Amino acid sequence: MLAEIPSEAGFRVDTADAVVTITLDRPDRLNAQTPSTWIWLRRVGLDLPGTVRVVVVRGAGRAFSAGLDRAMFSPDAEGGLIGLVRQAADEADATVAGYQEGFGWLARPDLVSVAAVQGHAIGAGFQLALACDIRIVADDAQFTMAEPSLGLVPDLGGTKRLVELVGYSRAAEICLTGRRVPADEALRTGLASTVVPLDDLSGTVDATVQALLTLPRDAQVETKALLLAAADRSPADQEAAERQAQLRRLNDLMRLVD
């Protein structure tokens, strides 16, 4: 059972059978995020029922997410970033690790996560989209890794995911210039799984979700686990993992026949 999401989290959760939709819901702030957003996203991941197969992440209004709410830099902001500096080093490290878990669970092998991206995806918004397995992008989308421009670093898992998608050199150029990456370039470089007209975004996401649900779940889980681990394995190790996964699937299928 999912916990009730408080308004300060800045998003809402809707469940329909095996699909959970997380909608960033601060359109007046272009869905800017706060530490409360990350804390409550982590809670959603922990509380997610085992029946859920697909998680869709989207933004209300004209943007996916403008990233960190600048109000969080204020010394007076409750739960703001200045409070991290006042914590002991190990406590601050644990706090940020909890924030990272708010995005990290979207890569779990038992789920497929889909980001529906329109308008701006900046900073934490960019990293949230990167955390998802599939990024369906409207043609008005623009990705920006703004943290270095603010004197910070991307710290919600985005650096590794970006390098894996586009390679080191392009990732360095995107992060260290802070430029906007338009939808057509995102598709060309692998940031986007597909690009569609803005009016077609919801329909394309719905069709993708239905396609995902048609696959046998166990085969989907095993395949995603193989894909997630592929970059860190040698070809021989990956082939061994494929053999083991296939034998597990064949054994399960044979049990169904028997």
Side-chain angles (χ1 to χ4, degrees):
M1 178 69 69
L2 291 173
E4 184 175 349
I5 307 299
S7 59
E8 61 264 25
F11 65 88
R12 66 178 189 271
V13 177
D14 299 291
T15 303
D17 299 322
V19 181
V20 161
T21 300
I22 297 170
T23 303
L24 302 174
D25 197 18
R26 300 179 70 202
D28 57 318
R29 303 283 294 176
L30 297 182
N31 301 319
Q33 302 173 38
T34 69
S36 290
T37 307
W38 310 326
I39 290 167
W40 280 96
L41 283 172
R42 176 179 180 272
R43 179 69 179 271
V44 170
L46 291 172
D47 292 350
L48 209 65
T51 53
V52 174
R53 294 186 57 184
V54 178
V55 177
V56 177
V57 183
R58 62 195 325 152
R62 59 191 178 91
F64 181 70
S65 174
L68 178 66
D69 191 327
R70 299 294 182 89
M72 292 297 102
F73 287 107
S74 170
D76 302 322
E78 184 176 353
L81 298 184
I82 301 302
L84 284 172
V85 181
R86 297 171 179 154
Q87 294 179 359
D90 56 348
E91 184 181 358
D93 185 85
T95 298
V96 177
Y99 297 162
Q100 292 169 332
E101 290 172 12
F103 289 9
W105 65 269
L106 291 163
R108 281 170 26 189
D110 61 316
L111 304 168
V112 181
S113 51
V114 180
V117 182
Q118 84 280 7
H120 288 291
I122 300 173
F126 192 175
Q127 293 185 79
L128 179 56
L130 288 170
C132 294
D133 300 309
I134 298 170
R135 281 164 297 284
I136 300 175
V137 174
D139 54 9
D140 72 336
Q142 297 187 78
F143 296 90
T144 312
M145 199 66 84
E147 287 86 349
S149 304
L150 300 172
L152 302 172
V153 301
D155 66 343
L156 295 170
T159 55
K160 178 175 174 60
R161 294 177 184 123
L162 185 60
V163 169
E164 288 176 344
L165 284 169
V166 304
Y168 167 77
S169 180
R170 190 178 295 273
E173 186 263 336
I174 290 170
C175 291
L176 301 181
T177 65
R179 72 173 178 88
R180 297 175 179 177
V181 179
D184 58 343
E185 181 183 347
L187 180 63
R188 188 170 67 250
T189 58
L191 281 177
S193 307
T194 188
V195 173
V196 298
L198 177 59
D199 290 344
D200 294 342
L201 182 61
S202 292
T204 304
V205 170
D206 291 344
T208 301
V209 169
Q210 291 308 308
L212 291 168
L213 294 175
T214 63
L215 267 67
R217 182 169 194 174
D218 290 341
Q220 194 172 66
V221 171
E222 290 274 21
T223 301
K224 181 174 174 180
L226 286 168
L227 294 170
L228 285 170
D232 296 323
R233 289 187 181 134
S234 69
D237 287 343
Q238 183 69 4
E239 289 171 356
E242 290 174 355
R243 294 193 299 272
Q244 295 158 12
Q246 191 72 298
L247 290 173
R248 284 193 296 271
R249 295 305 312 126
L250 288 169
N251 284 328
D252 286 346
L253 292 173
M254 288 305 297
R255 277 197 291 269
L256 290 175
V257 172
D258 295 339

